[in-house]
Amino acid sequence: MSLKRFTVLNRLLRLFSDNGQSTIAELSSQVNLSIPKVTAMVNELIDMNLAADFGKESSSGGRPPNVYGLNASAVHFVGVDVRAHDINIGIANFNQDIVEFKDRIPFRLKNQADSLEELCNLISGFIESSSIDCATIEGIGINLSGRINQRTGYSYSFFNFQERPLSEVLSEKLGYDVYLENDSRAMAYAEYKNLDNPAIKNVLFLNLDYGIGMGVVINGELYYGKSGYSGEVGHIPIFENNVICQCGKQGCLETEASGWALVNEFKKSIESGANSVIVKDPSNIDCVNMNDIIKAAMDDDVLAIELISRIGEKIGRGLAVVINIFNPELVILGGSLSKTGDYIRLPIKSAVNKLSLSLMNNDTQIEMASLGSLSGVKGASLLVRKKMLRMV
């Protein structure tokens, strides 16, 4: 196959991916080739089982043309979102519809070999128990927190006890091509692609969980930076404290404005005599986790709401810095803490309005994520599909 023909076939697949079903005339106009040539290439994609003829387009008059699009069941992609205490996993078809999904599968993320083996067993078990033909699975996208180099496949925060790229190790264990991504970037991409307004091209996504991550979309594409580690907003040295962050530094945003900081502040408050519906017996305070506090806030627990508000104000301080630098059109708040809605959004917005330049924040909308627990899974599978379309 000539390079030019390969390029056009790839372009047609991308058009189907971006625009959905199209007629030959529409495709011909977009790729600037004659209708007979485009017809031949679409038929070639149909022969490859990557595209399908969906019959006549509805029309109010004249002879309606046929419409063509991706063959949704021909190719599938697995997305895995690895979190601190569980994983979300799903399978998306070629049209990026999630056709199999399971969330909050118990799992403890540790930088140990047995944790890696458990993760692989959970992924393999999910695939084997699904109704999808395994032969149609093109690849697996796996999200991890921390420093991930998606280009080289190395993880520098978890499962980094081997010399080889983690993606290579996982590919051998799972039997499929594996692509690693930072969890916040994958979530950012999914939320960006899910926007109703295609005119929005510059977006910041904050992943508010036990840590604080950020995905940056510039001109419609994920921004990685020179070494692939952009978005570490949680490690902006913003506080004058002696708290050691999980990164080993002091004063990071995460030390006072993250899920694990929320848990620490909650425990301190209880030990100082505060009351909460979560804790009936103060001797059980060590069992409290971030999700317990989130649930309590949603049940109108005063202490939980107050602490989340404080966390939000501090997140807003960090976000004000980022808005002054990037001047985005939209900031999306996602991750576990975003489940608290206005309890965290309003103090974030208040701090941003107070601390960032008005010329910047006047043009920046702050909204809550829309995909919930699907965002990481959908982002991982979307990015695998994007890589596949570049290679076809």
Side-chain angles (χ1 to χ4, degrees):
M1 182 186 300
S2 70
L3 179 59
K4 183 177 180 180
R5 191 170 188 81
F6 174 90
T7 302
V8 175
L9 288 172
N10 185 277
R11 178 90 188 280
L12 290 173
L13 284 175
R14 292 192 195 187
L15 288 171
F16 286 141
S17 174
D18 294 338
N19 304 330
Q21 296 177 7
S22 302
T23 65
I24 294 293
E26 290 168 341
L27 295 170
S28 175
S29 174
Q30 290 170 307
V31 298
N32 199 28
L33 287 174
S34 69
I35 285 179
K37 285 185 178 180
V38 172
T39 301
M41 290 185 176
V42 168
N43 286 332
E44 191 171 340
L45 289 175
I46 292 173
D47 291 340
M48 295 167 66
N49 202 35
L50 295 175
D53 182 343
F54 292 94
K56 301 295 183 183
E57 183 182 49
S58 58
S59 175
S60 58
R63 183 178 178 182
N66 283 34
V67 292
Y68 302 85
L70 296 177
N71 180 3
S73 62
V75 184
H76 292 89
F77 311 93
V78 179
V80 184
D81 194 35
V82 182
R83 295 143 52 86
H85 299 104
D86 53 53
I87 68 171
N88 298 332
I89 183 168
I91 301 177
N93 64 21
F94 208 2
N95 277 334
Q96 202 47 40
D97 303 312
I98 301 295
V99 293
E100 302 264 352
F101 179 69
K102 188 172 183 180
D103 65 345
R104 303 193 69 175
I105 302 171
F107 172 74
R108 182 74 178 183
L109 178 59
K110 298 176 290 185
N111 192 32
Q112 298 174 4
D114 60 344
S115 183
L116 178 60
E117 287 299 321
E118 182 186 2
L119 176 63
C120 291
N121 290 336
L122 288 172
I123 296 171
S124 294
F126 178 84
I127 293 172
E128 290 167 6
S129 65
S130 76
S131 60
I132 303 302
D133 179 0
C134 294
T136 66
I137 294 176
E138 185 69 24
I140 301 174
I142 299 180
N143 305 333
L144 287 168
S145 59
R147 266 68 66 198
I148 300 292
N149 190 316
Q150 58 85 34
R151 181 177 55 81
T152 63
Y154 278 96
S155 167
Y156 294 95
S157 297
F158 291 100
F159 308 138
N160 55 351
F161 37 77
Q162 301 192 44
E163 293 295 327
R164 293 187 298 156
L166 177 60
S167 60
E168 185 179 304
V169 174
L170 287 166
S171 293
E172 287 184 2
K173 289 179 177 293
L174 296 171
Y176 299 93
D177 289 336
V178 172
Y179 304 90
L180 294 184
E181 185 55 273
N182 171 270
D183 55 352
S184 299
R185 281 196 292 268
M187 294 166 74
Y189 193 68
E191 292 288 348
Y192 167 71
K193 297 297 283 187
N194 196 53
L195 293 176
D196 290 332
N197 187 352
I200 295 176
K201 298 295 183 184
N202 301 289
V203 177
L204 300 180
F205 173 86
L206 284 189
N207 182 13
L208 308 177
D209 215 281
Y210 274 100
I212 302 177
M214 183 172 73
V216 181
V217 176
I218 298 177
N219 292 329
E221 295 290 339
L222 280 177
Y223 176 74
Y224 288 93
K226 172 64 172 67
S227 303
Y229 311 122
S230 70
E232 292 292 344
V233 66
H235 302 293
I236 295 176
I238 203 169
F239 298 115
E240 291 290 338
N241 61 32
N242 296 318
V243 181
I244 302 296
C245 181
Q246 297 181 71
C247 71
K249 310 290 185 181
Q250 290 184 350
C252 293
L253 182 63
E254 280 190 13
T255 62
E256 296 189 23
S258 62
W260 65 270
L262 175 65
V263 172
N264 289 339
E265 287 302 311
F266 182 87
K267 291 178 180 179
K268 288 178 184 177
S269 297
I270 295 297
E271 290 166 356
S272 298
N275 295 313
S276 171
V277 296
I278 302 175
V279 182
K280 307 299 184 185
D281 180 359
S283 64
N284 294 329
I285 188 66
D286 288 338
C287 298
V288 174
N289 60 40
M290 178 184 65
N291 289 325
D292 294 329
I293 301 171
I294 292 171
K295 184 178 184 302
M298 303 311 293
D299 291 336
D300 297 326
D301 183 82
V302 174
L303 177 60
I305 292 171
E306 180 182 335
L307 292 177
I308 287 170
S309 179
R310 289 186 207 167
I311 292 288
E313 189 276 332
K314 292 174 180 179
I315 292 170
R317 289 177 62 181
L319 181 56
V321 173
V322 179
I323 286 175
N324 282 348
I325 294 170
F326 285 100
N327 188 204
E329 298 157 81
L330 175 65
V331 173
I332 300 174
L333 306 178
S336 295
L337 285 172
S338 71
K339 295 175 185 176
T340 61
D342 280 348
Y343 287 146
I344 197 161
R345 187 185 72 87
L346 293 179
I348 288 175
K349 187 170 179 58
S350 177
V352 165
N353 290 341
K354 182 168 64 174
L355 299 172
S356 64
L357 296 173
S358 59
L359 286 174
M360 301 284 193
N361 65 53
N362 285 343
D363 289 333
T364 300
Q365 298 297 313
I366 299 178
E367 298 180 1
M368 309 306 289
S370 60
L371 291 172
S373 58
L374 276 175
S375 63
V377 166
K378 192 153 190 176
S381 56
L382 259 174
L383 289 167
V384 175
R385 186 181 73 155
K386 185 177 181 181
K387 291 179 186 294
M388 179 257 184
L389 289 174
R390 286 177 174 172
M391 294 185 292
V392 170

